[in-house]
């Protein structure tokens, strides 16, 4: 299955380190960061899950929460959590899904056979409260992900949902944004009272509206 932006994510039931869940119910009215890691007791994954735990406060600010998955059994997850907490200096405060039969990983296209047929690659799905895929990306097992980019991506999605703007290259929360080209100058005058800089007819920048 190939999930694309705008698709409703498949529902599933699974055992996790925080009990059995039904995925759509677990999402609730929040944004979800659903990410796969190749294997328990591996070095890069240990650092990634530790970083995710440390960012819980940042996810909370964005009405978001994280959930991880690998094809390892639940008992391995529970044992490995001790290593994460010892080496990364934080409690693992989000669920890890056990997917020994690969059903969920295959449902979400997380196993890339030409990379490794036995484990998941480092996939991330950003899912909104309507259970829609808003963004996704995949890294190979050898490269750890940048979870600051996940936060930046959520910031952009939530901002552009609320206002008729887009975010430029390397944008960070608080910086100028771009007025969407579909708005006329007259409409932009009414909506963006802080003014805007018209660089080209299609390229107009304005201070971030909610700042």
């Amino acid at each position: 299955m190939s999930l694309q932006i705008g698709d409703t994510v498949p529902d599933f039931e699974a055992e996790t380190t925080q009990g059995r869940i039904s995925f759509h119910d677990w999402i609730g009215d929040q944004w979800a960061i659903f990410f796969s890691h190749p294997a328990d007791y591996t070095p890069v994954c240990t650092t990634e899950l530790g970083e995710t735990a440390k960012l819980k406060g940042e996810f909370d600010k964005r009405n978001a929460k994280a959930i991880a998955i690998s094809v390892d059994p639940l008992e391995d997850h529970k044992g490995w959590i001790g290593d994460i907490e010892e080496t990364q200096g934080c409690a693992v405060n989000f669920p890890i899904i056990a997917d020994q039969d690969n059903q969920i990983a295959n449902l979400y296209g997380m196993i890339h056979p030409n990379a490794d047929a036995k484990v998941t690659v480092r996939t991330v799905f950003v899912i909104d409260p309507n259970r829609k895929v808003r963004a996704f990306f995949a890294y190979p097992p050898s490269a750890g992900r940048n979870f600051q980019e996940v936060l930046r991506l959520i910031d952009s999605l939530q901002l552009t949902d609320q206002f008729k703007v887009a975010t430029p290259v390397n944008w960070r929360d608080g910086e100028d944004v771009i007025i969407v080209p579909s708005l006329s100058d007259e409409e932009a005058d009414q909506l963006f009272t802080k003014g805007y800089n018209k660089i080209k007819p299609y390229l107009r920048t304005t201070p971030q509206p909610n700042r």
Side-chain angles (χ1 to χ4, degrees):
M1 180 175 181
S2 178
L3 284 171
Q4 299 182 340
I5 290 173
D7 288 351
T8 299
V9 297
D11 197 10
F12 58 82
E13 292 190 0
E15 297 295 338
T16 82
T17 52
Q18 295 184 0
R20 189 166 184 83
I21 66 162
S22 174
F23 190 49
H24 280 198
D25 289 343
W26 179 85
I27 292 171
D29 61 356
Q30 294 182 274
W31 291 67
I33 311 305
F34 182 28
F35 69 102
S36 58
H37 62 275
D40 295 355
Y41 297 105
T42 56
V44 176
C45 300
T46 300
T47 63
E48 285 193 325
L49 270 70
E51 178 68 8
T52 302
K54 291 173 185 176
L55 290 174
K56 184 180 186 303
E58 293 298 323
F59 288 131
D60 288 346
K61 290 177 187 177
R62 295 161 173 83
N63 190 35
K65 56 185 176 180
I67 187 167
I69 184 173
S70 80
V71 296
D72 295 300
L74 189 61
E75 288 308 308
D76 282 3
H77 287 345
K78 290 179 177 178
W80 180 44
I81 282 174
D83 286 0
I84 297 170
E85 294 178 344
E86 176 190 348
T87 62
Q88 305 305 302
C90 59
V92 176
N93 45 32
F94 56 90
I96 308 173
I97 296 168
D99 186 34
Q100 277 184 275
D101 58 9
N102 299 3
Q103 284 192 2
I104 301 167
N106 285 325
L107 190 62
Y108 278 75
M110 292 171 162
I111 295 177
H112 297 194
N114 289 331
D116 192 320
K118 296 180 180 179
V119 300
T120 56
V121 295
R122 299 187 191 281
T123 309
V124 177
F125 285 96
V126 179
I127 303 164
D128 70 17
N130 295 317
R131 285 85 173 141
K132 301 289 187 182
V133 176
R134 299 300 301 278
F136 63 91
F137 57 87
Y139 282 29
S142 59
R145 289 159 287 200
N146 184 338
F147 279 81
Q148 290 299 319
E149 171 61 12
V150 176
L151 295 176
R152 192 189 79 91
L153 183 54
I154 298 170
D155 286 340
S156 175
L157 291 167
Q158 293 181 345
L159 178 70
T160 57
D161 278 355
Q162 187 176 0
F163 300 97
K164 294 183 181 298
V165 297
T167 54
V169 62
N170 297 332
W171 173 85
R172 290 189 178 278
D173 186 38
E175 297 178 350
D176 287 358
V177 295
I178 293 169
I179 299 171
V180 294
S182 60
L183 285 183
S184 68
D185 286 348
E186 291 74 21
E187 291 170 318
D189 290 338
Q190 294 179 359
L191 288 175
F192 300 101
T193 56
K194 296 176 184 177
Y196 56 89
N197 180 25
K198 188 174 181 179
I199 302 166
K200 291 286 185 181
Y202 59 86
L203 179 55
R204 297 164 295 176
T205 60
T206 188
Q208 184 170 320
N210 60 351
R211 286 301 187 97

